[in-house]
Amino acid sequence: MERTFSLLYEAAQEGNVTTLRELLEQDRLILDRIIVINNNGFSETPLHVAAILGHADFVKEILNQRPELAKEIDTRGSTPLHVAAVKGHLETVKVLVSVADHETTCFSVDREGRNPIHIAAMRGRLDVLRELVRVAPGAVEVILEGRRETVLHMCVRYNQLEALRRLVEVVDDYQFVNAKDDYGMTVLHLAVADKQTVTVRFLLTNTRIEVNAVNANGFTALDILAQSQKNEKDFDISECLRASGALRTIDPPSLPQRRTQATSGSSSSSRTSSKVRVPSQYYQIQKLPKNKKTEPKNWLTRKREALMVVASLIATMAFQAVTSPPGGLWQDDSSPAGSGSASQGAPASDTATGSHRAGESIMAYNQGSYLYQSYLYYNTVGFLSSLSIILLLITGLPFWRKFFMRVLTVIMWVTITAMALTYTISSYTFTPQKEQNVVTHVILYLVLGWIGVMALILVLHTIRLLVKLLKKLVNLIRQRRKKFIFANDGF
């Protein structure tokens, strides 16, 4: 059987139709066994091999025997039509789409969500692309799973302008041309970002592309050009965009309102126009608030990332402090005095006063209950506070507001203070009796001083918050007084 399969694959590589017919005469089920062995994508079938090499006659003969082989996929999820489109074998593609259920293969996608039309477009196989669009025009509008890209995005991404021209001629749909990917990028955004001057000019002059469409970050194509690395193509692209009415966004969420205000005094014909242009003077005047709005968002983003990192580190340290307390853990069991021998390595005082079990903290026996309890209290507060910060940050609450971020900052202060006290107790625990004065001086002059600074910062922020609340309260009272006075005057 293996010899027969070997001969079949050799015939596929050579495109030898005669050998194929001889093998089918010897075993009429050989192609069925290929389907079973392939098991939906574990290997290439002979049809894949013939398709990628462009043996159209061999492909036609094998499809006449088993047309269902056209639906088989290889390890990459590609059908024979995929691999034929990759290589640009037009005759082979025509044979593959001539089967009865050709639309299924044209809509079939590989592991990356691409159908044969996507493959032909990104490789610039224009003849193959024309044939596939002819037999299955609906496959043109299939969107790539995961990235939400259309075939037009792929044409621009792989700089295939001619393929883009052909597809736009076939599907001249406004929604299709202006489709956005997961990042809100249209084909115009991609073309400008990649500095494809000819593609930008084609999109602006031959399609219904929206020149001022914004991506997920609120940037137009002109914004992307301004932020990209400068080269000699920037001037031509900028001229094309500005000639088509391109603008730089100021505040994307409120942009439609500003346009309405800017054009409120225009004629009725201009109000019904599909493209509203904002005067350049208005843009220059309103350009300053852009930085004021974006800077707090950037600050909050950096603050959130820093809090997440610090909270994760503190949670790790607190957990380690519990599992490995100062002084370590007992390694064996010990009975009370008089009932058994003392444990190896344990102080005589401990074994004389009571028993212990393996895994218990030595610090609880040597340092007394008060010091050990304080150690657990402070460490637990630091651990739970850091976990609370992590949980709040990943729950999706509106932490882009400064108030909520300040609440997290206060929790972080409590966490750091608790860990500082845990460190103090640990230092006192493992320091010998003769060096206790050193620990005392460290606590009094350094640690307590640092805690005092933290308390001062907390007080200053509290005062700042109270001042803001007081101002808001005063403004609210003034507004209510004005409404009351106006109501009385009207009465």
Side-chain angles (χ1 to χ4, degrees):
M1 185 62 64
E2 293 182 1
R3 175 61 178 169
T4 304
F5 286 158
S6 178
L7 292 175
L8 179 59
Y9 277 94
E10 289 179 3
Q13 292 177 2
E14 299 172 357
N16 195 328
V17 178
T18 303
T19 303
L20 173 61
R21 291 172 180 171
E22 292 176 354
L23 293 173
L24 287 173
E25 290 178 0
Q26 297 174 11
D27 185 0
R28 302 296 300 177
L29 299 178
I30 186 173
L31 296 179
D32 297 279
R33 292 191 177 92
I34 289 292
I35 296 176
V36 174
I37 293 174
N38 184 53
N39 196 17
N40 196 23
F42 277 90
S43 63
E44 292 180 337
T45 65
L47 186 58
H48 283 90
V49 177
I52 200 170
L53 295 175
H55 300 315
D57 294 336
F58 190 93
V59 171
K60 184 176 181 180
E61 182 64 26
I62 204 171
L63 287 177
N64 289 336
Q65 300 294 330
R66 290 293 182 274
E68 58 267 25
L69 276 172
K71 301 178 183 178
E72 291 296 310
I73 60 176
D74 59 11
T75 55
R76 296 176 298 275
S78 301
T79 64
L81 186 58
H82 280 88
V83 297
V86 169
K87 301 295 290 186
H89 298 310
L90 179 59
E91 295 302 322
T92 304
V93 169
K94 288 181 178 180
V95 174
L96 287 168
V97 297
S98 64
V99 297
D101 195 12
H102 64 273
E103 289 191 359
T104 302
T105 57
C106 289
F107 280 88
S108 178
V109 296
D110 58 13
R111 303 289 187 202
E112 298 184 16
R114 303 172 301 188
N115 62 28
I117 289 181
H118 294 127
I119 299 295
M122 62 183 281
R123 293 300 183 98
R125 311 300 186 186
L126 301 181
D127 294 335
V128 172
L129 182 62
R130 185 187 302 109
E131 178 66 18
L132 293 175
V133 172
R134 183 186 65 82
V135 298
V140 176
E141 300 184 25
V142 173
I143 297 176
L144 272 73
E145 298 179 1
R147 292 178 291 180
R148 302 291 302 170
E149 289 184 341
T150 66
V151 66
L152 300 184
H153 286 87
M154 300 195 70
C155 290
V156 176
R157 191 177 296 279
Y158 289 90
N159 199 12
Q160 298 293 343
L161 177 58
E162 291 303 319
L164 180 66
R165 292 179 188 270
R166 300 287 176 87
L167 291 170
V168 170
E169 291 174 0
V170 174
V171 186
D172 187 16
D173 181 71
Y174 177 82
Q175 298 293 336
F176 180 64
V177 173
N178 290 281
K180 298 180 179 181
D181 61 12
D182 270 350
Y183 300 99
M185 303 282 280
T186 65
V187 289
L188 182 61
H189 287 99
L190 294 179
V192 171
D194 199 33
K195 305 298 178 68
Q196 299 179 20
T197 308
V198 181
T199 303
V200 171
R201 187 177 292 112
F202 168 76
L203 290 172
L204 293 175
T205 56
N206 297 90
T207 69
R208 292 187 289 172
I209 193 72
E210 178 57 50
V211 68
N212 288 318
V214 295
N215 62 9
N217 293 324
F219 297 144
T220 64
L222 196 58
D223 290 321
I224 292 178
L225 179 65
Q227 296 177 3
S228 63
Q229 188 175 1
K230 306 301 180 183
N231 62 23
E232 65 278 2
K233 298 180 181 179
D234 287 7
F235 179 77
D236 293 336
I237 296 176
S238 178
E239 288 297 312
C240 292
L241 290 172
R242 294 186 184 279
S244 300
L247 301 171
R248 293 192 61 180
T249 54
I250 303 160
D251 187 8
S254 59
L255 185 59
Q257 181 180 0
R258 291 178 179 175
R259 288 185 177 180
T260 304
Q261 294 174 355
T263 57
S264 59
S266 58
S267 62
S268 59
S269 61
S270 63
R271 282 195 294 266
T272 59
S273 176
S274 60
K275 293 185 179 179
V276 182
R277 298 189 180 184
V278 180
S280 59
Q281 304 93 318
Y282 179 80
Y283 167 72
Q284 293 173 357
I285 294 173
Q286 297 291 336
K287 190 174 181 179
L288 182 59
K290 178 182 177 181
N291 294 331
K292 291 185 177 180
K293 287 182 176 291
T294 56
E295 285 180 1
K297 293 182 179 179
N298 294 334
W299 175 83
L300 290 174
T301 301
R302 292 193 299 269
K303 191 87 168 178
R304 174 174 176 165
E305 293 174 353
L307 287 175
M308 176 64 78
V309 172
V310 175
S312 301
L313 291 175
I314 292 178
T316 303
M317 291 189 299
F319 181 83
Q320 186 66 26
V322 171
T323 57
S324 299
L329 305 173
W330 294 109
Q331 300 301 316
D332 55 4
D333 297 334
S334 174
S335 302
S339 61
S341 60
S343 61
Q344 185 179 5
S349 60
D350 295 334
T351 57
T353 56
S355 63
H356 61 259
R357 292 180 298 175
E360 292 181 339
S361 174
I362 298 175
M363 176 184 176
Y365 289 86
N366 291 348
Q367 301 297 333
S369 61
Y370 174 76
L371 201 60
Y372 180 69
Q373 290 175 7
S374 300
Y375 174 81
L376 285 181
Y377 289 153
Y378 295 139
N379 189 71
T380 302
V381 170
F383 182 68
L384 294 179
S385 299
S386 59
L387 290 183
S388 300
I389 293 173
I390 296 173
L391 182 62
L392 291 173
L393 287 175
I394 65 177
T395 51
L397 294 177
F399 289 113
W400 59 83
R401 302 188 176 217
K402 286 188 176 182
F403 174 76
F404 294 104
M405 191 58 64
R406 288 194 179 103
V407 171
L408 288 180
T409 304
V410 171
I411 299 176
M412 180 58 69
W413 289 343
V414 174
T415 305
I416 295 176
T417 303
M419 296 309 298
L421 294 173
T422 303
Y423 169 80
T424 301
I425 298 175
S426 301
S427 301
Y428 183 82
T429 300
F430 59 70
T431 302
Q433 188 68 32
K434 62 180 181 178
E435 300 293 341
Q436 292 296 328
N437 292 332
V438 177
V439 177
T440 303
H441 284 85
V442 170
I443 294 174
L444 292 177
Y445 298 109
L446 296 179
V447 178
L448 293 180
W450 179 78
I451 294 176
V453 172
M454 294 291 293
L456 178 62
I457 295 175
L458 178 60
V459 170
L460 292 177
H461 278 277
T462 303
I463 295 174
R464 180 183 178 187
L465 179 62
L466 292 175
V467 170
K468 284 190 175 183
L469 293 176
L470 182 60
K471 287 182 179 180
K472 289 184 179 181
L473 181 61
V474 171
N475 292 333
L476 182 61
I477 294 175
R478 288 178 179 176
Q479 291 177 1
R480 289 187 177 181
R481 284 183 178 177
K482 289 181 180 180
K483 290 181 180 180
F484 180 75
I485 293 173
F486 291 152
N488 290 338
D489 291 343
F491 180 78

